[in-house]
C-alpha cells in the first residue's frame, strides 16, 4: 500500500502499525514523537494498535528545545 | 501621528509595500513585542524588529554574554563579553534604531513573574533554550490570551508555530508534557549551526510583523519545519486537541508550572571546563 | 481647494525635493491620508520621478486623471484615490 510519510509517498506492507512505521523509518527519539495521520493526532498509547490504511498521510512532529 | 522625513526614508521599503503601507508602518510603530531569551533566536528577531520600527520591544534574559554565545547570537559582540545580555541587546537595538523603546528584564522567567511581564505586550516570541521555559510561555500566553510564536532549533534543523486565541492549536496540543530531563538533547548538548538560529529567529520576527500589520497568513494551525541538510522546508498541519490541558474549554492546567530543568541546561562555564578536563 | 471642471483637488504634495524611493513614498503617504474618490495633486520633477511615480500609483490601483506640464521642468500629476 502507498502511504505519504512526511510528504513523501512510499510503499509499505499491508497491516503496518504506527509503532512499526516508527521502527521502519528509524524515527529519532521514538518515545517522544508526536504522530498525526490525515491531520489527526494519534495517542501514543495506540501506536501499537493503529493500523495504517492505503493513502494515509503520516507526519512525525519532534520536540525541539534549542534556541539559546 | 505623521512621519518625519527621516522616518519616511528609514521605513520607505516598508511603506512602498502594498501589504504594509502607511497604515502598516504605523501599526508596527504602535506595536509591543516581547522577546523571551536574548540568545540565538532572540538576537536576529530583536535586531529585525528594532530595524522595522516596532514601537516597544521587551527583552528578557538573566544571562551574561559568554564566548560560546558569539557563534550565533549576533546581537552581541566580543566587546560585550561578561555584560548582561539584555543590556548588550538593548544597546544594539538602540544603535540600529533610536526610535525604538527597549524594555529590559534581567531575570529568568518563572511561574511567579511571567504573567506580569507578558501582560503589556501584543505578541510574544519564545527564544528560550529549554522545555520548562517553552511550556511555561505557552501556558502563560494561552491563559492570558496573548498571541505568541514558539520556535526550537537543534543541529541543522528548526521549527516554529504561532498561537493566536481561537485560531488553532497551542504548543501543548502538539506536545503534551516536557520530555523527561535529558531525554531529548538541547543545542548545548547536540550543537546547532549559528545560521539556523538566524533563519528561525528571522521567521519569528516575520510572524510578529505579519501579526502587527495584519498582512498575509500566520503560522497558526501549522508547524513550519526546516532541515538545512536536505534543503527541506515544510508546513505541516497541526490539529487542535479538544482535550488540551491548557487551551481546551475544560483545561486541567490552570496554574503555571515551573518544571525542573535538564541537568545539562543548568551547566555553568566552570562545569563545562571541568567536564572538558575529565 | 483648487477646482477644475473635472475634479476637485483635496490635497497637494511636493516631491521635487526628494529622490527615489522617497518620491513615491511621500506620494503614497499623502494619498493614503485621503478618502476613497478624493483627488491628490503631486508636484514632481521630470525624469525618473515622472517615469516611476505615476506607474507605481497606478499599480496600487489609483487612477491618473491628468498630468499638467508646468514648462519649468516640473509637472503636476492629478491622481484619484481608488484603493
Amino acid at each position: 500500500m502507498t502511504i505519504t510519510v512526511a510528504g513523501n509517498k512510499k510503499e509499505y506492507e499491508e497491516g503496518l502499525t504506527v509503532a512499526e512505521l516508527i521502527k521502519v523509518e528509524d524515527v529519532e527519539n521514538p518515545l517522544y514523537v508526536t504522530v498525526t495521520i490525515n491531520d489527526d493526532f494519534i495517542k501514543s498509547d495506540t501506536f501499537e494498535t493503529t493500523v495504517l490504511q492505503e493513502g494515509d498521510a503520516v507526519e512525525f512532529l519532534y520536540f525541539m528545545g534549542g534556541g539559546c | 501621528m505623521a512621519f518625519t522625513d527621516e522616518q519616511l526614508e528609514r521605513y520607505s521599503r516598508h511603506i512602498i509595500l502594498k501589504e504594509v503601507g502607511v497604515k502598516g508602518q504605523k501599526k508596527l510603530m504602535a506595536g509591543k513585542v516581547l522577546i523571551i531569551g536574548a540568545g540565538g533566536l532572540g538576537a536576529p528577531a530583536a535586531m529585525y524588529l528594532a530595524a522595522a520600527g516596532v514601537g516597544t520591544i521587551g527583552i528578557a534574559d538573566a544571562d551574561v554574554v559568554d564566548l560560546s554565545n558569539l557563534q550565533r547570537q549576533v546581537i552581541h559582540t566580543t566587546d560585550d563579553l561578561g555584560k548582561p545580555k539584555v543590556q548588550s541587546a538593548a544597546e544594539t537595538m538602540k544603535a540600529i534604531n533610536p526610535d525604538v523603546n527597549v524594555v529590559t528584564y534581567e531575570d529568568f522567567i518563572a511561574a511567579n513573574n511571567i504573567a506580569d511581564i507578558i501582560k503589556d505586550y501584543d505578541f510574544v516570541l519564545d527564544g528560550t533554550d529549554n522545555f520548562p521555559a517553552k511550556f511555561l510561555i505557552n501556558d502563560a500566553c494561552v491563559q492570558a490570551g496573548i498571541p505568541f510564536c514558539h520556535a526550537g532549533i537543534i543541529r541543522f534543523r528548526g521549527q516554529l508555530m504561532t498561537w493566536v486565541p481561537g485560531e488553532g492549536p497551542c504548543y501543548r496540543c502538539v506536545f503534551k508534557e516536557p520530555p523527561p530531563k535529558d531525554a531529548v538533547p538541547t543545542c548545548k548538548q547536540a550543537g546547532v549551526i549559528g545560521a539556523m538560529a538566524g533563519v528561525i529567529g528571522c521567521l519569528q520576527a516575520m510572524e510578529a510583523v505579519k501579526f502587527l500589520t495584519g498582512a498575509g497568513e500566520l503560522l497558526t494551525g501549522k508547524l513550519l519545519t526546516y532541515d538545512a541538510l536536505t534543503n527541506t522546508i515544510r508546513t505541516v498541519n497541526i490539529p487542535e486537541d479538544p482535550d488540551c490541558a491548557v487551551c481546551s474549554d475544560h483545561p486541567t492546567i490552570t496554574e503555571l508550572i515551573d518544571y525542573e530543568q535538564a541537568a545539562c541546561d543548568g551547566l555553568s562555564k566552570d562545569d563545562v571546563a571541568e567536564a572538558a578536563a575529565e | 481647494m483648487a477646482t477644475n471642471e473635472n475634479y476637485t483637488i483635496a490635497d497637494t504634495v511636493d516631491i521635487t525635493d526628494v529622490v527615489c524611493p522617497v518620491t513615491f513614498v511621500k506620494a503614497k503617504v499623502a494619498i493614503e491620508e485621503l478618502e476613497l474618490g478624493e483627488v491628490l495633486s503631486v508636484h514632481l520633477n521630470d525624469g525618473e520621478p515622472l517615469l516611476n511615480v505615476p506607474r507605481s500609483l497606478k499599480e496600487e490601483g489609483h487612477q491618473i486623471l491628468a498630468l499638467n506640464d508646468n514648462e519649468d521642468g516640473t509637472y503636476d500629476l492629478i491622481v484619484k484615490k481608488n484603493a
Side-chain angles (χ1 to χ4, degrees):
Chain A
M1 64 179 169
T2 308
I3 297 173
T4 307
V5 178
N8 299 314
K9 277 191 177 156
K10 289 188 192 174
E11 286 299 317
Y12 296 93
E13 279 180 30
E14 298 284 339
L16 191 76
T17 66
V18 171
E20 286 162 348
L21 180 68
I22 286 173
K23 257 185 214 152
V24 173
E25 289 295 319
D26 198 16
V27 165
E28 209 177 313
N29 286 305
L31 289 177
Y32 305 108
V33 73
T34 295
V35 178
T36 67
I37 301 180
N38 307 328
D39 297 342
D40 283 325
F41 289 121
I42 305 303
K43 288 194 162 67
S44 57
D45 56 9
T46 65
F47 285 177
E48 301 277 350
T49 52
T50 302
V51 177
L52 292 157
Q53 309 294 324
E54 169 75 30
D56 277 349
V58 181
E59 295 288 350
F60 297 118
L61 308 173
Y62 302 97
F63 271 114
M64 236 174 253
C68 53
Chain B
M1 173 178 68
F3 292 112
T4 64
D5 283 355
E6 195 195 297
Q7 286 173 325
L8 281 185
E9 192 165 352
R10 181 184 282 270
Y11 303 123
S12 58
R13 301 301 192 278
H14 276 168
I15 294 170
I16 286 169
L17 291 169
K18 200 178 289 181
E19 294 82 354
V20 180
V22 172
K23 288 193 183 75
Q25 186 58 42
K26 285 185 176 173
K27 286 177 183 168
L28 289 172
M29 290 160 75
K32 297 175 180 176
V33 177
L34 173 68
I35 301 166
I36 303 180
L41 292 169
M47 292 166 81
Y48 274 104
L49 292 178
V54 170
T56 300
I57 302 175
I59 187 132
D61 202 310
D63 280 335
V64 296
V65 180
D66 181 273
L67 190 56
S68 68
N69 299 151
L70 300 183
Q71 163 256 16
R72 63 202 174 283
Q73 300 178 14
V74 294
I75 202 165
H76 314 298
T77 70
T78 307
D79 286 343
D80 296 319
L81 288 174
K83 205 185 266 183
K85 282 188 179 177
V86 291
Q87 184 195 334
S88 162
E91 286 168 5
T92 304
M93 282 190 271
K94 292 298 266 187
I96 292 170
N97 189 349
D99 282 355
V100 175
N101 173 36
V102 179
V103 182
T104 58
Y105 305 89
E106 197 182 335
D107 213 344
F108 286 117
I109 53 139
N112 63 10
N113 67 6
I114 187 168
D116 213 39
I117 294 174
I118 65 175
K119 71 176 192 315
D120 294 328
Y121 290 91
D122 303 318
F123 197 78
V124 174
L125 297 187
D126 173 0
T128 63
D129 61 355
N130 63 86
F131 292 111
K134 291 186 186 302
F135 278 85
L136 180 65
I137 291 167
N138 179 76
D139 297 358
C141 287
V142 170
Q143 286 176 9
I146 297 171
F148 76 101
C149 177
H150 156 88
I153 50 174
I154 193 161
R155 300 190 186 104
F156 286 83
R157 293 202 314 226
Q159 62 188 25
L160 72 158
M161 61 177 277
T162 295
W163 179 81
V164 174
E167 290 183 23
C170 76
Y171 182 61
R172 240 188 229 277
C173 286
V174 186
F175 301 106
K176 311 295 174 210
E177 289 280 328
K181 284 194 297 170
D182 301 319
V184 175
T186 66
C187 51
K188 197 171 274 181
Q189 300 150 332
V192 67
I193 291 292
M196 181 56 71
V199 170
I200 303 296
C202 285
L203 288 174
Q204 287 189 286
M206 192 64 90
E207 289 295 289
V209 166
K210 288 188 295 177
F211 176 81
L212 292 175
T213 59
E217 293 170 22
L218 292 167
L219 281 169
T220 48
K222 293 180 169 73
L223 182 74
L224 187 150
T225 66
Y226 173 47
D227 184 332
L229 293 177
T230 58
N231 307 303
T232 312
I233 295 177
R234 300 189 63 234
T235 311
V236 180
N237 290 331
I238 45 176
E240 276 177 87
D241 177 358
D243 296 318
C244 177
V246 175
C247 78
S248 70
D249 54 13
H250 47 281
T252 53
I253 295 174
T254 53
E255 306 240 319
L256 296 172
I257 307 163
D258 283 318
Y259 290 102
E260 209 181 334
Q261 286 240 20
C264 188
D265 287 341
L267 280 187
S268 69
K269 206 161 62 172
D270 294 340
D271 293 330
V272 174
E274 208 173 283
E278 277 168 13
Chain C
M1 278 185 199
T3 52
N4 175 293
E5 52 204 321
N6 301 319
Y7 48 82
T8 303
I9 292 169
D11 195 11
T12 60
V13 61
D14 182 355
I15 60 167
T16 58
D17 56 343
V18 288
V19 295
C20 178
V22 182
T23 42
F24 171 57
V25 168
K26 271 190 117 165
K28 182 169 168 166
V29 168
I31 207 162
E32 283 200 29
E33 298 293 333
L34 301 184
E35 301 292 326
L36 268 183
E38 287 190 320
V39 173
L40 177 73
S41 172
V42 185
H43 188 58
L44 74 169
N45 286 325
D46 199 354
E48 181 274 326
L50 190 61
L51 281 175
N52 289 323
V53 174
R55 188 186 59 204
S56 298
L57 287 167
K58 249 195 266 182
E59 278 172 12
E60 296 254 312
H62 304 300
Q63 188 186 347
I64 309 294
L65 299 179
L67 181 67
N68 303 325
D69 188 347
N70 298 322
E71 297 185 346
D72 60 354
T74 71
Y75 290 78
D76 288 318
L77 179 72
I78 313 299
V79 199
K80 185 174 163 192
K81 176 164 175 165
N82 268 3

